[in-house]
Amino acid sequence: MDDYIIFSWLNDYIFCPISIYFHQLYGDKKPPLVQNRSQLEGAWAHSAVDEGRYSTRKDVLQGAFVICEKYRLFGRIDVFDIKNGVLTERKKKISQVYDGYIFQLYAQYFSLLEMGYKVNQIRFHSLSDNRNYIIPFPEESPLMLAKFERTIAEIRSFRLEEYIQQNRAKCLHCIYEPACDRTLL
């Protein structure tokens, strides 16, 4: 599994490829040392799923590890309601549905399909305002599917030593900025 990509890397890569390096470097260090308030709140929001406390229903997968052989991806799903075929990725607060979010959901979707599940809907749930954002299936959105596949290819061919950050705003919002040698600040 040396060339498998973790689902969360799809979002991290779009934000800044260097963040993947720092995630691996800091590993399981105590969260307050390397996470900002938003990330800590997000981790708290995910805790019910990650710890299997979201639902007691037997037909709900929560926090399950899954693999997508086709794209060589792996990670955890948030919540999959098997009975209704609804895959939900929960976020603390959604102000905008970013491509990286969608790519993580696509990875979960393709994994579930490979496992033989019928997925009828993919969506995000914003915990802070209790809103759902239904996302078109990859087959219904060829441009997004192409971007998803291109992002996977870029991650696989990424060369850390050649990367130059171009977006100052990303550095402004990066928890790793103080340690980064590519910062624009």
Side-chain angles (χ1 to χ4, degrees):
M1 288 194 32
D2 289 343
D3 69 339
Y4 274 67
I5 295 170
I6 300 169
F7 295 167
S8 62
W9 288 6
L10 298 167
N11 188 42
D12 292 344
Y13 181 83
I14 290 172
F15 176 74
C16 177
I18 304 297
S19 69
I20 296 170
Y21 165 78
F22 282 110
H23 280 272
Q24 299 308 303
L25 179 67
Y26 288 114
D28 61 356
K29 301 282 189 257
K30 296 215 179 273
L33 297 176
V34 293
Q35 289 183 329
N36 63 24
R37 182 180 175 152
S38 295
Q39 288 173 311
L40 290 170
E41 289 174 353
W44 174 83
H46 265 265
S47 67
V49 168
D50 294 342
E51 296 167 12
R53 296 181 286 108
Y54 173 76
S55 175
T56 57
R57 288 181 32 205
K58 299 296 182 212
D59 62 349
V60 173
L61 292 178
Q62 52 189 329
F65 283 98
V66 294
I67 294 175
C68 175
E69 294 290 337
K70 177 180 180 178
Y71 293 108
R72 298 185 327 274
L73 306 168
F74 75 98
R76 290 176 103 165
I77 59 167
D78 270 9
V79 179
F80 180 59
D81 180 336
I82 298 168
K83 179 180 176 186
N84 296 308
V86 178
L87 173 61
T88 304
E89 172 73 17
R90 297 160 29 110
K91 301 282 185 193
K92 171 69 172 126
K93 180 178 181 175
I94 297 175
S95 55
Q96 178 179 344
V97 177
Y98 295 101
D99 288 357
Y101 290 2
I102 293 171
F103 297 164
Q104 287 180 269
L105 198 57
Y106 280 5
Q108 295 172 35
Y109 166 75
F110 285 122
S111 297
L112 288 169
L113 290 182
E114 284 185 10
M115 294 171 68
Y117 289 105
K118 179 165 177 33
V119 181
N120 297 319
Q121 183 181 84
I122 59 176
R123 68 183 187 182
F124 293 102
H125 179 75
S126 177
L127 295 166
S128 65
D129 57 6
N130 200 33
R131 288 188 59 195
N132 289 321
Y133 298 83
I134 298 170
I135 304 301
F137 290 112
E139 312 73 65
E140 298 168 348
S141 187
L143 290 177
M144 281 302 285
L145 179 57
K147 285 172 76 173
F148 169 75
E149 291 175 338
R150 187 171 48 252
T151 300
I152 292 168
E154 287 175 11
I155 292 171
R156 288 209 164 84
S157 65
F158 180 75
R159 300 290 171 253
L160 181 68
E161 64 279 359
E162 297 170 7
Y163 180 74
I164 299 171
Q165 177 58 267
Q166 302 292 322
N167 187 334
R168 187 174 194 276
K170 290 187 177 186
C171 294
L172 281 169
H173 295 98
C174 181
I175 62 169
Y176 303 117
E177 186 278 330
C180 184
D181 67 345
R182 313 301 164 93
T183 184
L184 296 176
L185 301 184

